[in-house]
Amino acid sequence: MHVATTRDEAKVGGHGDEELVELARRGEEGAIRALIKRNNQRLFRVARSVVRDDAEAEDIVQETYVRAFTRLNSFRGDSLFSTWLIRIALNEALGRTRRKRPTTEFEKLDALNTDPSGGGVIMFPTFTAPVASDAELARKQIREFLEKAVDDLPEDFRIVFMLRDIEDMSTEETASQLSLKPETVKTRLHRARRLMRAAIEKRLSPTFSGLFPFDGARCDRMADRVVARLRDTGAR
């Protein structure tokens, strides 16, 4: 694919994906860069949900772009360009895991956690305002804990959870990407949420006893005030 440099990224950044794809077909470097930046995070998360390794996920994302931009003529526009990229990334990631080990038996995983209770949406904390260093450390620790909890999910639950709850794809889109029935997507998402909730509760439950502390000097001051009130009452 010949890449031209006649348009920079800033000039094409306001275009929609369809326009960018057409420009990319003509080798416009700015359009290619814009499409890459628009899809980087989603593709990395999808790949990371499969391989659970940052470096390999990044390599998968790179391979996805190379395959996509060298085969743009095969993209017919039947789906969103981002959807097409996700499919390529998933195929690459899943192909790598299959070459490393036998394919996971989905039936065994689907038999896990059949209890229908629980399964509400897991709300991931978001931070948009500037934070101080101590808050930044807390945010980093929360993120690392949540990433570990996602990594610990069974593979097929993990992929569904990433697409549905983190990338906010619809049930139908997720089912199409993974060649599953929508009902299967719903079931796996429900079980993934239950496993995430269990992991979060296990981590946090030891700290519940320390909530709303009323001890130390604060406790002493309360005793002082009560004793003083009692003395005043007795003096009347």
Side-chain angles (χ1 to χ4, degrees):
M1 179 182 186
H2 175 70
V3 178
T5 57
T6 54
R7 300 192 190 203
D8 62 33
E9 184 183 341
K11 292 180 179 179
V12 299
H15 293 328
D17 281 5
E18 291 183 4
E19 295 173 292
L20 289 177
V21 169
E22 288 307 312
L23 291 172
R25 290 185 200 274
R26 300 200 291 269
E28 296 281 0
E29 180 181 343
I32 293 172
R33 288 181 177 275
L35 286 168
I36 288 173
K37 290 188 176 182
R38 286 185 185 184
N39 291 280
N40 267 340
Q41 178 165 283
R42 172 171 284 189
L43 293 185
F44 178 80
R45 285 174 169 174
V46 167
R48 181 68 174 71
S49 72
V50 178
V51 299
R52 293 190 291 180
D53 180 84
D54 286 4
E56 186 169 13
E58 190 170 336
D59 187 58
I60 290 169
V61 172
Q62 177 178 291
E63 183 64 24
T64 297
Y65 286 132
V66 170
R67 291 189 180 189
F69 288 117
T70 56
R71 303 175 188 175
L72 270 181
N73 289 335
S74 66
F75 176 63
R76 300 173 184 175
D78 298 332
S79 63
L80 296 176
F81 183 68
S82 58
T83 301
W84 187 61
L85 288 176
I86 289 172
R87 187 171 296 118
I88 296 172
L90 274 174
N91 287 339
E92 175 67 18
L94 291 170
R96 292 187 183 206
T97 59
R98 291 186 185 113
R99 289 191 292 271
K100 289 179 181 178
R101 56 176 173 72
T103 303
T104 301
E105 297 181 33
F106 287 158
E107 292 79 6
K108 290 182 179 179
L109 291 173
D110 281 336
L112 295 173
N113 304 296
T114 56
D115 182 359
S117 62
V121 175
I122 302 295
M123 300 302 294
F124 280 79
T126 58
F127 301 82
T128 56
V131 293
S133 58
D134 55 345
E136 180 66 28
L137 176 61
R139 181 176 72 171
K140 180 175 181 292
Q141 292 173 336
I142 291 171
R143 186 184 68 248
E144 289 175 349
F145 163 64
L146 292 175
E147 287 176 350
K148 176 65 164 56
V150 172
D151 275 350
D152 287 344
L153 292 172
E155 181 177 299
D156 57 344
F157 295 176
R158 188 170 64 248
I159 298 172
V160 169
F161 182 80
M162 184 70 72
L163 294 179
R164 286 285 288 111
D165 274 4
I166 299 181
E167 287 305 320
D168 201 28
M169 294 179 67
S170 69
T171 298
E172 291 70 23
E173 289 174 321
T174 303
S176 175
Q177 288 288 354
L178 301 176
S179 299
L180 297 172
K181 295 179 180 179
E183 293 76 14
T184 303
V185 169
K186 292 178 182 178
T187 299
R188 292 182 182 177
L189 177 61
H190 173 82
R191 293 171 183 166
R193 287 171 174 171
R194 288 190 68 249
L195 290 173
M196 285 292 294
R197 174 175 284 104
I200 291 171
E201 290 176 351
K202 182 178 180 180
R203 170 69 179 269
L204 296 181
S205 59
T207 67
F208 289 164
S209 61
L211 293 177
F212 309 113
F214 200 96
D215 52 13
R218 188 182 183 191
C219 183
D220 292 339
R221 286 195 298 271
M222 174 61 72
D224 292 341
R225 289 197 298 270
V226 171
V227 170
R229 288 284 301 275
L230 292 174
R231 286 173 178 167
D232 289 344
T233 302
R236 292 176 184 174

